[in-house]
Amino acid sequence: MISTDIIKKILKNYESDNFSTLKNLNKIFMTGKLSGTGKLIILPVDQGFEHGPDRSFAINAEAYDPHYHFKLAIDAGMSAFAAPLGMLETGFDTYKNKVPLILKCNSSNSLTKLADQSMTGSVKEAVRLNCSAIGFTIYPGSEKIHEMIEEAKELFEEAKSAGLVCVLWSYPRGSMSKQGETAINVVSYAAHMAALCGAHIIKVKLPSNYLEPDSTKDSYINNNIEIDELWKRVEHIVKCCFNGRRVVVFSGGEAKNDEELINEIKAINKGGGFGSIIGRNSFQRPKQKAIQLISDITNIYKGK
Amino acid sequence: MISTDIIKKILKNYESDNFSTLKNLNKIFMTGKLSGTGKLIILPVDQGFEHGPDRSFAINAEAYDPHYHFKLAIDAGMSAFAAPLGMLETGFDTYKNKVPLILKCNSSNSLTKLADQSMTGSVKEAVRLNCSAIGFTIYPGSEKIHEMIEEAKELFEEAKSAGLVCVLWSYPRGSMSKQGETAINVVSYAAHMAALCGAHIIKVKLPSNYLEPDSTKDSYINNNIEIDELWKRVEHIVKCCFNGRRVVVFSGGEAKNDEELINEIKAINKGGGFGSIIGRNSFQRPKQKAIQLISDITNIYKGK
Amino acid sequence: MISTDIIKKILKNYESDNFSTLKNLNKIFMTGKLSGTGKLIILPVDQGFEHGPDRSFAINAEAYDPHYHFKLAIDAGMSAFAAPLGMLETGFDTYKNKVPLILKCNSSNSLTKLADQSMTGSVKEAVRLNCSAIGFTIYPGSEKIHEMIEEAKELFEEAKSAGLVCVLWSYPRGSMSKQGETAINVVSYAAHMAALCGAHIIKVKLPSNYLEPDSTKDSYINNNIEIDELWKRVEHIVKCCFNGRRVVVFSGGEAKNDEELINEIKAINKGGGFGSIIGRNSFQRPKQKAIQLISDITNIYKGK
Amino acid sequence: MISTDIIKKILKNYESDNFSTLKNLNKIFMTGKLSGTGKLIILPVDQGFEHGPDRSFAINAEAYDPHYHFKLAIDAGMSAFAAPLGMLETGFDTYKNKVPLILKCNSSNSLTKLADQSMTGSVKEAVRLNCSAIGFTIYPGSEKIHEMIEEAKELFEEAKSAGLVCVLWSYPRGSMSKQGETAINVVSYAAHMAALCGAHIIKVKLPSNYLEPDSTKDSYINNNIEIDELWKRVEHIVKCCFNGRRVVVFSGGEAKNDEELINEIKAINKGGGFGSIIGRNSFQRPKQKAIQLISDITNIYKGK
Amino acid sequence: MISTDIIKKILKNYESDNFSTLKNLNKIFMTGKLSGTGKLIILPVDQGFEHGPDRSFAINAEAYDPHYHFKLAIDAGMSAFAAPLGMLETGFDTYKNKVPLILKCNSSNSLTKLADQSMTGSVKEAVRLNCSAIGFTIYPGSEKIHEMIEEAKELFEEAKSAGLVCVLWSYPRGSMSKQGETAINVVSYAAHMAALCGAHIIKVKLPSNYLEPDSTKDSYINNNIEIDELWKRVEHIVKCCFNGRRVVVFSGGEAKNDEELINEIKAINKGGGFGSIIGRNSFQRPKQKAIQLISDITNIYKGK
């Protein structure tokens, strides 16, 4: 198993995992331009499920073709490609072993208002599709949170046994204000819950400096937790993910201008975050521009 | 496995499927008058479940007999015959290997107002009945959508493992207006969801040029997606089915006059659609007239 | 397997069933006074569950004893005896192989208003009790119809695999008027649904000439379906059961005077129905009178 | 298998049961002071679950210790001891084979108002604890009745296969008046349902002469069912339990004075009931007084 | 198996358990400073799940690191360490066999108001992580109590079969007043229910002398149960746990001053309680102070 000292140190934190899982985690860390650095950039493409194909792909029509995304992930040197079942099936043979795959096992859709997701994947299918990991989303704060966590539990237990890496998207919604969904005290809670659920890789949104007025707010004020600067908030999230013993990556959410995005990456890097999940900011622009942007981002993560 | 270059090219898009599934898909494409052309006409007969026997068959009383439909599918040279369990059981021996069978595994009924369906079939029964495929319906936008998708997931996973083709009827209803159920922005979303769920063959209704005012509408306007002509809409649906990597066929819905129907077929053909599912327009007229109509339709698909 | 030409012809309609199931169906058709005629009289005794023991048996107190019913079915020469688990258990040894048994696997009770039934039997228990068939009830039109159909699906799939005959009681209720529960357009729909669910024997109530004003009503008027005479309605139900390819039997419901009952039997016979399920009209009168009545009925079915 | 003619005659009614079940039923009938008489006295101790420990045991503080109840059942010569999992676990070794055990598999609690019970035992645990029987409670008339019956079905099916006796507590509640819960027409219905569910031993409350005004009331009046005297009501319940083919025992409910209790036992005996379940009337008094009371009761049942 | 007479006597109460379970229970009793005394101090760290990471750990920031808690349990000489899946996974290798582990299998979270918990662990995972026990929480009085008890039943049955100790947190809430959640009549009921559910170790909150006005209140007054002094209340809880045949430990709840805490420990010891679960009072202070406090507590339990 080819690795680097940085990666070996990260893997050591996963004390209970079997060799296959560690090998798959190593593979993700040793793929692409960030290979061996301990940082990750993951391409997720489930927006077609969550927002519909046109809102996702019309702006860059090549992206209607699933192969476009496989190629983008490979050509831009990303660490892994995450997508729902049907999309991964299309490139099974053409892109075999060219980029680690994450089977996104549940998805929501905007045709319904229900704060829930549908299971569309499984460990059995992830194994069939030669994936390195499975992905799952929970909504802390929603009415379905207990069921979602229990689905994650079943999935992760089976995945670990099958030697797969478990990636958990933890997106608060429901019980808090809209602004509160990215409040630092809410995101840190969601990240910690994901760690306790046994995720190997945690994915949260970048937190704002807003504090949702709930039972956890006072602990920020009383203990002087620094949240004014973004990199401090990233650092805090890393701390809430078992003090850095679990890998946490960040999404920026909606497409924004490149300067904002680059500044976010710098803050993630400075705060000790493990990398980014970049979807719309990569596939909603022409391929060469996307490759350039990813290149700029990897340079930041590589400290160039 | 006898095939044609056109079909081989289509099968190549199913990169992850096992040989049995590909053989069954090939069989459907190599059956009937459209054999080898890459186009399909499928006869579905679950209207007795969904609308009652009399609304379905009284106008052409021979159609009360299930064997009538087997014979119609065979004599008209259709690609496959889809029906619920009980109906397929009646012709198991008489029509063995004479037409590919699709076991329709769930059905609604109009004695209840619930926007849901009952499971009546299974992969085990499809195998027992020597079927080539299983069929399933989901209602994107309904309150039951998550459960329906998860039922489809279980069924498809087992079906693929058993070497069967998976056909998904994707019919929006519930959260949108009645008109919106066939709006181009709604149908395209429903078709894409079906592809992501791992369907081999997707079935949607022909979309209208109406745009349901939801979160996806703007992407049509901003990106100048052409939706005025029917063939352009068909072309767009094909694009939303993984840019043509998944087979999508269209239903016309309620019986209409032949001229309208023929014009629809021409638009499907021109737009690159893979064919039609024709139920009421075939079995609700005398058999010879139905055969003639199907013959006219196949001629269009064959470019005659 | 001893049979007659009439029965062999009926069995031929069950093209997909295994030899054990056909043997059990043959056994039911070859038992009792109607042996070999293609007609059936079945004794069902689940009224104790559905209406309580006293409303069922007080009028003929011998009927409190389950053995009374075994003996009645045997002595009157009926085709089969259907009852819930506990009742069949009492006669397992005494009446072994003396009359085909149908394990009624679900029952309602009038202590609750819920339009649902409780599962009390299973295929495993039916096999243990040496039964030839299992019975199940669905309520088309009720809020539980999807769950009930899915329970039937599971039960029937297992039963067919175990070589048992599947009998489906299809009793509309819930979405229609009280009068509509026996309307010809509702009963025909319920009978057809039962056939599509894969029942070998379908049981419905005798339909009235009333037309429930629902989406199916117009097809009766537009297509001149004859419903004035009872035998015509029976004929129509037979047609809706796959044009006679599935056995359909009728219940008369509440006890009535013998003349009415005899006229109903004549209509069933004339309309091509396959026989009767007679519960309260047999066990709620003294045994000799019941035997006489069943004798009169069998004579009608035998064309005497 | 040591037995008596009376017991052999009772066992003959259980025609479908395997030898292990019959052996266990025989063991219960051959234990204690009523050994071989065909009568039973069972000690049930789940009041701690249903009413809390203090309301159950404070009046006789020795009863907080589970071993007290094992010893009471043995020393008083009772036929069996019924209790939830945790209580039976405590005496597994000390009292092995000294008294037949009935694992009470579900219990309610008065901290909640829900008319339902929690499953706390299983056949697997009953086998592990060397029990002779499992016990279960249903609430005919409650909103949960269908689920409860289906839980009983699963449990009984497994229990019979494992050679255990099935005891069903059938306690009406929910749809009827408070007074109606012990009305003779309600209790007889509940007892009959228990028999149909396949119970070997049925437990109901002693019925009053009240008639709940429901659909079964008229059958009492029209058929002159005698319900004025308690022993006549007991006789009627026995008739509703398959005319005596199933064992039915009675509970008196809340503690009452001894004279009332003795009169009830006399009525049960005269009416042909199979015995009593006596909980609070035994363990809520000093042990010697309890033993004396049980002795008085057994003398009645033995006809002394 | 190294043990002491005190522990052997305790183990004898677990008459039905297999050798592996007894060995694990012995291991917990033979670990740490209270080794062999028959008393326990357990460190539970699921507050991060229940209250969020910051409210739990910000006051003593080292505690964000899961290894801190393993070390604290070991260095302070505690009997066992209880935590959710993800936290136990982090120390699997580093702290192997250094302290008995309890996998806390369900957790609530304060982002939702639902009075329920999510399953996050399993027996399979507990075995994989080399745990000695599994832990579970029920909420007597909540709307979910029946489901929670049934989840506990499934878990415990599997755990006992796998040789694990079963720890049940029994925390009333829902149907009673806020004050009633720690009322002596409510806590005693909750403790007894836990014992009946088959728990090996029961965990309740220290009860107050308040009596919730429910159906159990009168039994305290009528039977002169002494509840004025805390040690008397502890003694009563021990009595309600099968008269001391089951181990019951107490939590103090929110952090309080050390004097109050020490007085509580003295009362637990005097009343015959088996020890304490101490979470926030240990990890929310500097490590050396925590070790000192635990040392003071163990001295009380050792009678020094």
Side-chain angles (χ1 to χ4, degrees), chain C residues 49 54 65 93-94 111 118, chain D residues 15 146 175 189 220 236 245:
Chain C
F49 218 126
D54 301 310
D65 187 341
D93 198 51
T94 307
L111 286 176
S118 317
Chain D
E15 302 199 350
H146 294 306
S175 66
Y189 198 159
Y220 279 76
H236 186 65
R245 292 183 188 276

Side-chain angles (χ1 to χ4, degrees), chain A residues 9 52 68 75 79 84 106 114 130 144 149 152-153 198 203 207 217 222 246-248 260-261 266-267 270 272 284 290:
Chain A
K9 201 178 152 205
Y68 177 84
D75 294 347
S79 312
N106 66 342
L114 305 165
N130 201 27
K144 293 283 183 182
I149 287 178
K153 168 197 167 279
K203 192 217 159 189
K217 182 175 177 178
N222 297 341
R246 288 295 171 264
V247 169
V248 57
E260 285 176 323
L261 182 61
K266 286 178 181 168
K270 185 167 180 191
Q284 290 187 344

Side-chain angles (χ1 to χ4, degrees), chain E residues 25-69:
Chain E
L25 187 53
N26 185 68
K27 184 171 157 192
I28 292 169
F29 269 111
M30 295 302 291
T31 294
K33 291 192 178 162
L34 289 171
S35 168
T37 63
K39 300 290 181 185
L40 302 172
I41 299 186
I42 294 168
L43 175 66
V45 189
D46 57 350
Q47 287 79 1
F49 217 126
E50 309 225 337
H51 303 146
D54 301 310
R55 220 173 118 199
S56 304
F57 308 132
I59 203 176
N60 179 32
E62 287 184 79
Y64 279 104
D65 187 341
H67 281 207
Y68 177 83
H69 302 286

